[in-house]
Amino acid sequence: MSQAIKKHHEPLIHITKRDQMVWWKGWLIRAIAILAALVVSGGVIMLLTGLNPISVYAEMVDGNFGSSRKLWMLLQKTAILLCIALAVTPAFKMKFWNCGGEGQTLAGCIAAAACMIHLGDSMPGWLLILVTFVMSVCAGALWGVIPAFFKARYNTNETLFTLMMNYVAIQLVEVLEVLWENPKNSGTVGVINRNSQAGWLPDLFGQRYLLNILIVAAVCILVYVYLKHSKQGYEVSVVGESQNTARYVGIDVKKVIVRTMIVSGAICGLAGFLLVSGTGHTIGPNTVGGQGFTAMMVSWMAKFNPIVMILTSGLIIFLQQGATAIATTFRLHDSLADIVTGIILFFIIGCEFFIQYQIHFRRSRKEGVEK
Amino acid sequence: MSQQISAVPAIELRGVTKRFGSVVANRNVNLTVHKGEILSILGENGSGKTTLMNMISGIYFPDEGEIFINGEPAVIASPKDAFDYKIGMIHQHFKLVDVFSATENIVLGLGKAEKYDLKDAEERVVEISQRYGFEVDPKKKIYTMAVSEKQTVEIIKVLYRGADILILDEPTAVLTPQETQKLFAVLRRMREDGKSIIIITHKLHEVLSLSDRVAVLRKGEYIGTVETAKTNESELTEMMVGKKISLNIERSEPKDPQVRLEVHHVDCTNRQGTLVLDDVSFSVNSGEILGIAGIAGSGQRELLEVIAGLQKTDSGAVLYHNPKTGNVDLLQGKTPLQIRELGVRLSFVPEDRLGMGLVGNMDITDNMMLRSYRKGKSAFLERKAPKNLAEQIIEELEVVTPGTTTPVRRLSGGNVQKVLVGREIAASPTVLMAAYPVRGLDINSSYTIYNLLNQQKEQGVAVIFVGEDLDVLLELCDRILVIGGGKVTGVVDGRTATKEQVGLLMTKSEGGEQA
């Protein structure tokens, strides 16, 4: 009778969920992951280009820390990316998947550029900066609140809605580029108020980007406090965890969705202000350059903790800058730099699996059984 | 032939262990089931009954230990393997396709070797039904079926596949007393036919009336197997809990009962457009426990949500008699916040504890704040008072937790419920609604909850208790409101009513179509 039954093999690997891990073990795994990533991408570099990976890595470090200008660039770019990541975080905590960081930031850029171009001569410098700031923040908030309103009112899909709003913003910039073209027939807006520098954020202690960095640092602390210690932040968490619970305790879920997206969009608008008024002094469809999407990854990798986001945004910019550096120094194609960045991110994100789960192999299990 | 084989157990577990992280769900469990035997697995929730059965049916794989089928070592790595060993499991949550007929569901997922012939299959379904005494229409679609019919389809499904070992996970939880008796008759016929049946339950009287032997689990450990004929309720309870406990629930006479809440002719349609409450009227007095009995999904949830301001009504009125002001306030059409602002102190322990009453990923302190965080004008949270409340509840209700900063989803079911009930009572309510407050709780925790409800009653609170265990309802409640299919089918006195009486009222609204 038993012959009729097929023989089954024990599964080769067997995955179980870990209990909470001691913090240092988690960091050890992450450190091993980074090492492994460097080894693997080193192998890939050698295989594809024949270059010595050590010198490639040295160049990556040099590309970020090699001169004070490079260092300031690292900090500045980190600040902007961090700002957008901080912006999308309240929405993410609410499980409102705001993929519209790109568009909301660009909306802020548009407002900033519009103020600088059209109001440049009509008011004192400090007032212009203030007006530009307020208008950018409002524009970002407006771009954020539109999908929130439709989500709250008609339960539309926020992912698609915010994504589409990105394209609207990009198209809008392309139209405005024609309008604001300077010099004529250049096809670009060019540096706004090149001579008067009206609406430009001032240098601080002779450093061009210091003010940007300080503003973002302040935003980082504010977002942290808002999410962790304010009543509104608490409501965001409750709505994100369970809308039923929120309703049960009398939280107006629709109101919270709309309010949180105003906050989210406003901070994006601020990032747009920093990009135009504080950095490039110009606008184009690529002013935000995909950072609205990178910021989502930054926020996720930090598990929505604003303080950890300083690290994750810094890491991403470090990789990007380093990749550009090796591409120019060794005259490699940009794609190789992308490959290296991809490998490193894969390992860093992938190692979370080993922090969450444990893997047993068949042989080690058998020994336990036969005892 | 039968002589020799019956000496070998149909299924035997030796030293089976299963861990989830550091939690041991089953430790070194030994179990045998013979042919033609009904074995009950008895244990409190969280004792590892379902995990153990899931290992036999191939959903989990044991970390240690061996399983023997008919004396041969067996490796069951998937539900498919379990089928090959002629093991069939009937889960607590049915796995049926709603738009398919009974027969279509039964043949769904059969091996490629089987020819798909619906007519032939129908004949076999009828044959199986007749053999064991099922009542089922093979052509009937699942979505038109009552819960008990769906369960029948699940059982036929595994029999159709030739299962010799049947595992039923709390099959009576969704049945009325009458339906339970029918199911037991069927199971007894299967036993006579030589099948091995394992039934998971935590209802002692069912164990005693049905099974041949009882295996008891406690906190994942295998305690022992006893013959049903040689045991009794208190001995089994002691094995289950590990100590002697009294199984009586106190019930005091209501003191000075006054109408606190009235529900008048409430109709309510849910989002799917079905009428879930149909002309419901009743009243609740202060200082009494009003039980609500009914088959799961008869409108209990909607009824409580209407009172709590979470569900809109089509028509009707909910009136609250405020003991402080003497006013009568209209509650329906108001949001929970508006109800609270009226000064109505309404506490609600919902059925879905982690999905509605609490936030699973937040710690105990933050969950305490859910009701009170709005207090004060500051834009910032004040965590001191909630933390004190959390500590107080942990101490008074003996909540087992590493501390106030543990996310509540990491607590066991009983402790989660203590946190929730503790918070709701801390708001010193005048009306306390509790939906299935002891579902999934062990005996000790259940009695803690009953005592808390009794204390509230003695303090003059109007308590509404939605329950599923009729024995408990009849022991605890002063009056019992029975609903069936969204209609009130009767109100009985908890002191004089019988189980059969309530059971009949539960099925009254659909009585016309049932045999």
Side-chain angles (χ1 to χ4, degrees):
Chain A
M1 189 181 160
S2 57
Q3 281 102 317
I5 297 165
K6 276 188 286 174
K7 279 280 166 205
H8 297 285
H9 285 292
E10 232 175 88
L12 178 64
I13 48 170
H14 184 67
I15 296 162
T16 53
K17 198 163 163 58
R18 274 185 209 269
D19 221 43
Q20 215 153 18
M21 197 183 235
V22 216
W23 64 271
W24 62 265
K25 267 194 185 168
W27 286 105
L28 187 70
I29 290 181
R30 291 188 184 100
I32 293 170
I34 291 177
L35 268 178
L38 292 179
V39 171
V40 170
S41 51
V44 171
I45 291 168
M46 278 216 292
L47 217 70
L48 292 179
T49 65
L51 290 167
N52 177 2
I54 304 289
S55 63
V56 171
Y57 292 140
E59 186 55 38
M60 274 185 95
V61 175
D62 188 64
N64 282 290
F65 301 106
S67 67
S68 74
R69 195 190 61 85
K70 288 173 181 168
L71 188 62
W72 278 111
M73 283 305 287
L74 173 72
L75 293 176
Q76 148 72 10
K77 286 187 173 171
T78 301
I80 296 290
L81 182 61
L82 176 62
C83 189
I84 306 176
L86 290 168
V88 293
T89 300
F92 281 5
K93 270 225 135 171
M94 198 174 61
K95 301 223 163 79
F96 182 103
W97 305 121
N98 180 12
C99 303
E102 187 86 6
Q104 288 149 28
T105 309
L106 210 49
C109 292
I110 293 172
C115 287
M116 286 163 70
I117 290 170
H118 294 295
L119 305 174
D121 314 319
S122 57
M123 54 179 78
W126 64 271
L127 186 62
L128 178 63
I129 290 180
L130 196 71
V131 169
T132 309
F133 168 79
V134 171
M135 292 310 288
S136 309
V137 167
C138 289
L142 174 72
W143 224 251
V145 82
I146 294 170
F149 170 79
F150 282 91
K151 171 80 177 184
R153 189 91 177 74
Y154 304 107
N155 197 25
T156 52
N157 182 318
E158 76 272 15
T159 313
L160 292 174
F161 207 125
T162 50
L163 269 176
M164 292 194 289
M165 291 291 286
N166 289 340
Y167 298 110
V168 177
I170 290 171
Q171 298 299 321
L172 199 60
V173 171
E174 281 175 359
V175 171
L176 289 171
E177 244 183 344
V178 177
L179 217 67
W180 291 338
E181 204 178 32
N182 181 28
K184 278 268 171 277
N185 298 326
S186 65
T188 61
V189 177
V191 176
I192 304 167
N193 303 344
R194 185 190 289 276
N195 297 321
S196 66
Q197 300 205 345
W200 290 27
L201 273 188
D203 295 358
L204 215 59
F205 305 114
Q207 289 302 336
R208 228 179 116 189
Y209 299 130
L210 189 58
L211 192 56
N212 283 356
I213 295 163
L214 291 178
I215 290 173
V216 175
V219 171
C220 183
I221 294 166
L222 284 176
V223 170
Y224 178 79
V225 172
Y226 179 76
L227 289 176
K228 190 102 198 222
H229 295 288
S230 81
K231 288 178 179 175
Q232 295 194 355
Y234 180 72
E235 288 179 341
V236 168
S237 303
V238 175
V239 170
E241 291 291 341
S242 161
Q243 296 204 0
N244 266 335
T245 308
R247 266 188 283 273
Y248 161 81
V249 294
I251 293 175
D252 186 340
V253 174
K254 291 176 182 174
K255 196 178 99 188
V256 173
I257 290 177
V258 168
R259 188 181 68 203
T260 308
M261 273 310 288
I262 290 177
V263 171
S264 193
I267 303 176
C268 277
L270 171 69
F273 167 74
L274 294 179
L275 275 169
V276 173
S277 221
T279 315
H281 315 301
T282 184
I283 188 171
N286 281 322
T287 301
V288 187
Q291 290 187 89
F293 298 104
T294 316
M296 295 168 67
M297 186 165 69
V298 169
S299 180
W300 266 98
M301 278 170 66
K303 302 204 174 82
F304 311 136
N305 182 330
I307 307 299
V308 181
M309 269 172 230
I310 301 172
L311 286 180
T312 51
S313 56
L315 174 77
I316 301 268
I317 297 296
F318 172 85
L319 289 174
Q320 282 180 358
Q321 294 249 96
T324 321
I326 54 175
T328 34
T329 310
F330 299 105
R331 294 217 190 82
L332 298 171
H333 196 266
D334 278 359
S335 314
L336 185 82
D338 289 341
I339 292 172
V340 172
T341 310
I343 291 172
I344 294 175
L345 283 177
F346 177 83
F347 274 84
I348 289 173
I349 297 169
C351 81
E352 295 298 317
F353 175 83
F354 295 94
I355 293 169
Q356 295 278 325
Y357 298 93
Q358 200 165 9
I359 293 177
H360 310 269
F361 290 95
R362 189 194 291 167
R363 209 179 308 125
S364 62
R365 253 184 40 77
K366 263 272 167 65
E367 285 157 16
V369 174
E370 278 162 9
K371 257 175 228 169
Chain B
M1 173 178 162
S2 66
Q3 278 279 305
Q4 281 172 340
I5 289 173
S6 63
V8 179
I11 184 162
E12 182 176 6
L13 274 62
R14 280 189 211 155
V16 167
T17 297
K18 178 77 191 169
R19 295 187 192 86
F20 297 103
S22 67
V23 182
V24 185
N26 288 128
R27 189 198 301 277
N28 200 13
V29 176
N30 300 299
L31 203 69
T32 54
V33 190
H34 295 283
K35 290 208 162 64
E37 178 181 59
I38 300 180
L39 177 81
S40 290
I41 308 267
L42 185 66
E44 300 195 294
N45 280 77
S47 61
K49 296 171 302 216
T50 303
T51 307
L52 187 66
M53 292 308 111
N54 280 340
M55 281 191 280
I56 300 177
S57 57
I59 290 169
Y60 294 145
F61 193 79
D63 293 335
E64 284 166 31
E66 287 168 291
I67 299 175
F68 295 86
I69 309 280
N70 300 317
E72 299 275 328
V75 175
I76 310 169
S78 72
K80 180 89 182 33
D81 295 352
F83 276 140
D84 293 340
Y85 286 116
K86 297 183 182 295
I87 299 169
M89 181 151 173
I90 292 100
H91 293 271
Q92 227 170 336
H93 303 282
F94 304 140
K95 295 159 168 39
L96 299 167
V97 182
D98 265 355
V99 293
F100 281 9
S101 72
T103 313
E104 282 165 340
N105 266 289
I106 287 165
V107 295
L108 196 69
L110 280 179
K112 285 195 183 96
E114 298 263 347
K115 219 178 120 200
Y116 181 76
D117 181 350
L118 217 50
K119 217 170 163 197
D120 187 49
E122 261 166 31
E123 277 166 24
R124 270 186 67 193
V125 169
V126 172
E127 183 204 332
I128 291 171
S129 307
Q130 283 169 349
R131 186 150 151 211
Y132 298 111
F134 290 111
E135 286 161 18
V136 72
D137 174 1
K139 287 198 174 75
K140 196 169 174 183
K141 303 269 195 231
I142 299 296
Y143 65 87
T144 63
M145 287 186 177
V147 181
S148 61
E149 290 176 277
K150 290 183 193 173
Q151 187 180 54
T152 306
V153 175
E154 285 279 10
I155 298 173
I156 296 176
K157 192 161 88 182
V158 301
L159 290 173
Y160 188 94
R161 289 158 197 222
D164 285 331
I165 302 166
L166 281 89
I167 305 167
L168 295 99
D169 191 355
E170 304 216 16
T172 60
V174 291
L175 302 179
T176 63
Q178 286 82 2
E179 288 165 341
T180 303
Q181 286 314 317
K182 265 191 207 165
L183 173 70
F184 284 0
V186 168
L187 293 181
R188 288 192 188 102
R189 235 161 284 156
M190 287 187 203
R191 168 174 63 188
E192 282 156 30
D193 202 39
K195 308 258 183 222
S196 308
I197 293 160
I198 305 177
I199 174 168
I200 300 180
T201 178
H202 55 238
K203 295 182 185 168
L204 288 167
H205 56 272
E206 290 179 356
V207 170
L208 292 169
S209 75
L210 180 71
S211 56
D212 301 297
R213 290 188 307 142
V214 192
V216 182
L217 296 179
R218 186 202 310 154
K219 291 178 182 147
E221 311 248 2
Y222 171 70
I223 302 300
T225 306
V226 290
E227 280 182 40
T228 316
K230 292 178 188 160
T231 188
N232 55 47
E233 281 199 21
S234 67
E235 191 193 14
L236 287 175
T237 317
E238 209 182 318
M239 284 177 79
M240 224 159 95
V241 184
K243 58 182 179 194
K244 263 199 163 46
I245 53 166
S246 136
L247 288 175
N248 293 316
I249 305 172
E250 281 173 49
R251 174 162 52 192
S252 57
E253 284 294 324
K255 272 181 260 163
D256 185 26
Q258 280 170 349
V259 175
R260 179 62 50 82
L261 194 74
E262 284 178 89
V263 174
H264 285 293
H265 306 289
V266 163
D267 285 345
C268 171
T269 313
N270 68 4
R271 244 180 254 158
Q272 284 78 42
T274 14
L275 194 66
V276 277
L277 291 177
D278 185 357
D279 195 27
V280 171
S281 297
F282 67 96
S283 67
V284 197
N285 300 325
S286 62
E288 75 162 4
I289 299 183
L290 175 78
I292 296 185
I295 303 168
S298 301
Q300 297 96 320
R301 201 187 72 221
E302 289 81 1
L303 181 57
L304 297 195
E305 289 187 1
V306 161
I307 297 172
L310 293 165
Q311 172 88 46
K312 286 201 178 78
T313 54
D314 303 343
S315 60
V318 180
L319 301 174
Y320 173 76
H321 297 251
N322 194 325
K324 266 215 181 116
T325 60
N327 291 346
V328 178
D329 299 316
L330 211 60
L331 296 192
Q332 93 277 6
K334 294 201 167 67
T335 66
L337 198 59
Q338 287 170 326
I339 290 176
R340 191 125 36 98
E341 279 161 359
L342 269 178
V344 179
R345 294 212 304 275
L346 182 78
S347 282
F348 180 22
V349 179
E351 180 180 351
D352 187 0
R353 292 160 205 162
L354 288 176
M356 189 179 223
L358 299 167
V359 178
N361 281 326
M362 285 188 178
D363 65 22
I364 304 181
T365 304
D366 279 15
N367 269 294
M368 288 300 140
M369 285 195 307
L370 276 171
R371 285 283 192 206
S372 60
Y373 78 96
R374 285 189 193 84
K375 261 187 212 152
K377 286 212 173 91
S378 160
F380 294 99
L381 295 167
E382 202 278 301
R383 281 197 168 88
K384 206 161 181 191
K387 185 161 191 284
N388 288 341
L389 178 61
E391 279 164 358
Q392 188 193 334
I393 286 174
I394 290 171
E395 199 192 308
E396 280 174 16
L397 302 184
E398 295 167 359
V399 178
V400 182
T401 167
T404 52
T405 53
T406 309
V408 288
R409 99 191 119 79
R410 285 183 175 265
L411 306 181
S412 74
N415 289 311
V416 167
Q417 186 67 320
K418 283 180 190 170
V419 169
L420 175 55
V421 172
R423 185 192 71 203
E424 291 303 296
I425 287 177
S428 49
T430 51
V431 178
L432 172 63
M433 301 192 289
Y436 308 107
V438 300
R439 181 183 281 172
L441 266 56
D442 59 42
I443 295 187
N444 275 320
S445 307
S446 300
Y447 277 77
T448 310
I449 301 294
Y450 300 145
N451 286 337
L452 286 171
L453 294 180
N454 266 325
Q455 275 172 22
Q456 292 300 303
K457 162 184 163 182
E458 276 158 29
Q459 287 169 18
V461 176
V463 181
I464 301 177
F465 173 87
V466 178
E468 47 200 342
D469 189 333
L470 290 183
D471 294 291
V472 169
L473 277 163
L474 288 166
E475 270 187 77
L476 179 72
C477 302
D478 299 294
R479 290 185 303 144
I480 298 171
L481 176 85
V482 188
I483 53 178
K487 284 197 185 94
V488 174
T489 52
V491 180
V492 296
D493 187 328
R495 288 175 177 76
T496 54
T498 64
K499 222 165 126 180
E500 286 65 35
Q501 195 185 346
V502 178
L504 277 175
L505 286 171
M506 276 163 74
T507 48
K508 199 170 154 189
S509 71
E510 46 193 33
E513 30 182 308
Q514 266 192 343

